[in-house]
Amino acid sequence: MKTYNYLQDIIAKKGAAYLILIDPDKLSTDKISKFAKHCEDSGVDGFLIGGSLLLNGNIDETIDSIKSSCSIPVIIFPGGVDQISSKADALLYISLISGRNADQLIGKHVIAAPLIKKYGIEPISTGYLLIESGKTTTAEYISNSKPIPRNKPEIAASTALAAEYMGMKLIYLEAGSGADLPVPNEMIKMVSQYCSLPIVVGGGIRDPKTAFEKVRSGAKVIVTGNFFENESNWGKIEEFADAVHINELKEI
Ligand code: 1GP
């Protein structure tokens, strides 16, 4: 089954999907396979791999380590064309539609397209919106684009609707990894009223209750990254998964 259909299936059955972002710079490859197995056993639906800025981490090795211990899909979340790997199941084909940086809107995509075809990876066309979240995030700095102000949900909603009309398949509301503040619930609500695409929400989500509120507001995929880079937090993964899977709600 294609990864996009798999995500749609999870959303239909569980109410929302839970993905964990692995930044290859932050976890050593030997820890990654242990972590991946633990995630699968705890109810995580898949992984995103990548980062706005990669120093030492190796995407191919990271994916190999994940796949050696579990079978949930691995989706590339590319910070750049150099992060495309033939080993992944799919790739978020991200256009940074909150900004007006031509390279992030279409330039990098032109360079990536033949590589994606050659590797036979499934591209998932994604309208990516950076949302103001307190201090400047790496994503904002590296992409050289302005985030949408937190108190302007109408801009986010109109942008998401434009993405839907352009034929994109996912909307990603991104506060940025390690954000002080996650994407506001009001903004998620308004985007989901205007746009019928599945909405991914990530950045600054550090507890199951916040994840639950984002799903209640209309998010269909929740992404967390930073929080589980600390091994002492791994015991909480199941609580996050339970909070996101709103159709199977247990006590949170
Ligand atoms: C994915 O950038 C996020 O959208 C991950 O954010 O690292 O803050 O969880 P955190």
Side-chain angles (χ1 to χ4, degrees):
M1 188 197 298
K2 288 203 159 200
T3 304
Y4 184 70
N5 297 339
Y6 163 83
L7 287 176
Q8 283 184 311
D9 259 28
I10 299 275
I11 292 166
K13 278 186 205 133
K14 303 183 181 176
Y18 181 38
L19 304 181
I20 287 192
L21 170 66
I22 295 183
D23 178 340
D25 271 343
K26 306 275 172 63
L27 278 180
S28 60
T29 30
D30 51 316
K31 248 191 190 177
I32 285 174
S33 53
K34 189 175 149 206
F35 178 60
K37 171 89 178 76
H38 185 69
C39 288
E40 185 176 40
D41 293 346
S42 306
V44 173
D45 301 301
F47 295 103
L48 294 185
I49 308 294
S52 305
L53 180 66
L54 214 68
L55 298 180
N56 304 308
N58 180 309
I59 300 267
D60 281 348
E61 281 175 15
T62 304
I63 299 177
D64 279 340
S65 306
I66 295 173
K67 294 216 170 260
S68 70
S69 66
C70 75
S71 59
I72 51 180
V74 176
I75 305 167
I76 298 180
F77 181 46
V81 178
D82 57 329
Q83 295 180 20
I84 299 173
S85 162
S86 58
K87 296 174 184 273
D89 298 289
L91 168 140
L92 295 187
Y93 200 51
I94 282 172
S95 184
L96 181 53
I97 55 176
S98 55
R100 298 296 177 265
N101 176 339
D103 217 29
Q104 305 287 344
L105 279 163
I106 180 67
K108 291 197 190 302
H109 312 69
V110 175
I111 296 166
L115 213 55
I116 294 169
K117 188 172 173 65
K118 180 171 143 196
Y119 290 161
I121 318 165
E122 175 191 349
I124 303 175
S125 174
T126 303
Y128 191 64
L129 286 74
L130 285 183
I131 311 300
E132 182 197 353
S133 60
K135 60 180 185 299
T136 308
T137 61
T138 308
E140 181 186 334
Y141 184 84
I142 297 283
S143 66
N144 192 20
S145 73
K146 249 191 192 170
I148 295 177
R150 302 180 63 72
N151 61 346
K152 301 281 181 195
E154 67 279 11
I155 300 181
S158 308
T159 308
L161 185 59
E164 180 171 357
Y165 289 163
M166 291 171 92
M168 293 181 182
K169 291 166 111 181
L170 277 184
I171 293 298
Y172 199 134
L173 301 179
E174 172 70 275
S177 193
D180 282 349
L181 303 164
V183 176
N185 296 339
E186 287 315 311
M187 184 177 275
I188 301 169
K189 275 183 199 155
M190 189 158 178
V191 171
S192 65
Q193 279 159 11
Y194 271 73
C195 167
S196 63
L197 297 175
I199 301 169
V200 184
V201 174
I205 299 174
R206 297 181 187 84
D207 58 79
K209 188 168 172 285
T210 305
F212 173 72
E213 282 168 14
K214 304 300 160 201
V215 176
R216 277 276 293 267
S217 303
K220 297 294 179 203
V221 181
I222 294 293
V223 181
T224 64
N226 248 280
F227 189 71
F228 297 116
E229 281 160 15
N230 181 345
E231 193 168 345
S232 62
N233 289 334
W234 291 9
K236 286 205 142 204
I237 297 174
E238 194 169 353
E239 274 180 60
F240 273 78
D242 288 348
V244 171
H245 297 145
I246 201 165
N247 287 356
E248 305 175 335
L249 207 56
K250 302 174 192 158
E251 200 65 28
I252 58 163

